[in-house]
Amino acid sequence: CFATFLQQVLAVHCLKLQVGEMTNKKEQHVDPWHAEAAEGEDRIDYDKLIKQFGSSRITDDLLIRIEKCTGKRPHRFLRRGVFFSHRELGLILDAYEKKKPFYLYTGRGPSSESMHIGHLIPFLFTKYLQDAFNVPLVIQLTDDEKFLWKDLKAEETHRLAYENAKDIIACGFDMSKTFIFSDIDYISHCTEFYYNIIKIQKCVTFSQARAIFGFQDSDNIGKISFPAIQAAPSFSNSFPHIFGKKFDIMCLIPCAIDQDPYFRMTRDAAPKLHYPKPALVHSVFFPALQGPKSKMSASDANSSIFLTDTDEQIATKINKYAFSGGKDTVDEHRKTGGNTEIDVSYQYLTFFMDDDERLAKIKEDYESGKMLTSELKRELIGIMQKLASDHRTKRAAVTDDVVKQFMTPRSMGFED
């Protein structure tokens, strides 16, 4: 019997080796710092991420509940699957229906002077959530993280936090319900925030942190301790000026799915601290101009459209670098049409074009070959130029005094 069992084990092992040789290719890789499709694939497999991370798809039933709760049609990001995955969003809706409070938490790592258009996605969606549910919002600027991970001085990342705050404020957040904070500033200001940081740090072993984040022996100890800092805003008593001593107010975190490891760790720590687990809604990545195999990055100017880019720069980048799902020749394209699943110009339109009917018509025309890649890019260029121009105008109106008001800890009337 043992010999038979051994033969079976060896057979399975040999089969795995054979399969490994046949499929010896680089796997899809997504973590808080990198996002890359599997070798030979033309885009990120989000179904695989849901299975890997253990989250759930946002269903039509949830969209119906959101519309019923808010009295408003769900945001286009929800209707089009830009925000596609969640953790316990239903519990947030349960709380709202029972008139129980919750708050929003999102953030930004300030590593560049200007944000790119992909950075707007979580903020545009969070603004919708704040307006639709009429709830308070905290926005964390992780200037400490960027100092630890990037070749930047702490003073520079701190300065960039305030510059990025202007871009965030330009999205139109309600000052009476929004607190923006720099980690470097707030840790020194708020004892309760720091208490939560060290409590979380004590809940997570180095072995767990290494398994979650892939830390190496050569990583500085600041990196290893940082995840607790990103976790702490998930708990309401980190903000006594907003919530007083309340520790049981639920938190909803809109973020890109690559940030989920931070909050899997947070959700594991929450019961140990007798806090509610934060709920999450995940977005897909905003693709690089070169294609949906990777996300847009501020460190690569040619992969990104920045909010400071001129009309000419935007047109040049889209015409020169935007990956096309069209065919090699006009005749071939007219016959067989383009592939909107991988065409970057079309993918960008799904994020920023408001008109559902117009978007559907573009998809139909492009896939049938009626619309050419040049025409599709021209459509996108106009929308991107207007988006960037409008944002620059709104940002110019954000003074240093306005930034100071948003970033000053203060009561918002939610203590009771």
Side-chain angles (χ1 to χ4, degrees), residues 222-293:
K223 290 183 179 181
I224 298 162
S225 65
F226 172 76
I229 301 174
Q230 184 157 324
S234 305
F235 306 131
S236 58
N237 59 352
S238 291
F239 305 99
H241 58 282
I242 302 176
F243 303 111
K245 295 182 179 180
K246 294 178 182 177
F247 62 86
D248 58 352
I249 299 176
M250 294 189 69
C251 175
L252 175 61
I253 305 170
C255 62
I257 197 167
D258 61 342
Q259 297 300 300
D260 187 74
Y262 282 111
F263 301 111
R264 292 203 303 274
M265 182 201 77
T266 307
R267 285 168 56 84
D268 286 343
K272 301 174 186 176
L273 301 174
H274 307 290
Y275 295 155
K277 294 181 179 182
L280 291 94
V281 281
H282 303 122
S283 74
V284 299
F285 302 119
F286 193 79
L289 282 165
Q290 285 77 7
K293 291 184 67 172

Side-chain angles (χ1 to χ4, degrees), residues 45 52 67 88 91 95 102 122 131 163 179 191 198 239 241 248 261 263 302 305 329 337 340 345 361 364 386-387:
D45 186 336
Q52 177 185 343
E67 185 165 5
E88 298 187 328
L91 292 184
F102 75 91
D131 292 345
E163 287 302 309
F179 173 52
T191 304
I198 59 175
F239 305 99
H241 58 282
D248 58 352
F263 301 111
N302 291 330
I305 297 174
T329 66
T340 56
S345 295
K361 186 67 166 65
E364 178 185 340
K386 185 177 188 308
L387 175 73

Side-chain angles (χ1 to χ4, degrees), residues 32-53:
W33 307 282
H34 310 92
E36 188 174 357
E39 184 180 344
E41 299 296 327
D42 52 23
R43 57 188 178 273
I44 299 288
D45 186 336
Y46 290 103
D47 288 326
K48 183 179 288 187
L49 279 184
I50 286 176
K51 185 176 180 180
Q52 177 185 343
F53 288 176

Side-chain angles (χ1 to χ4, degrees), residues 1 27 98 169 289 331:
C1 291
E27 292 295 320
K98 295 174 183 176
I169 293 166
L289 282 165
D331 286 345

Side-chain angles (χ1 to χ4, degrees), residues 286-344:
F286 193 79
L289 282 165
Q290 285 77 7
K293 291 184 67 172
S294 61
K295 64 179 180 179
M296 185 173 281
S297 171
S299 61
D300 183 355
N302 291 330
S303 80
S304 306
I305 297 174
F306 290 93
L307 295 168
T308 52
D309 282 349
T310 64
D311 285 357
E312 183 179 356
Q313 287 173 318
I314 291 170
T316 298
K317 286 182 177 181
I318 292 173
N319 283 325
K320 187 174 182 180
Y321 298 113
F323 185 82
S324 170
K327 298 302 185 288
D328 292 337
T329 66
V330 172
D331 286 345
E332 186 181 358
H333 185 88
R334 293 292 190 199
K335 290 177 182 177
T336 61
N339 183 354
T340 56
E341 293 294 321
I342 62 172
D343 191 287
V344 165

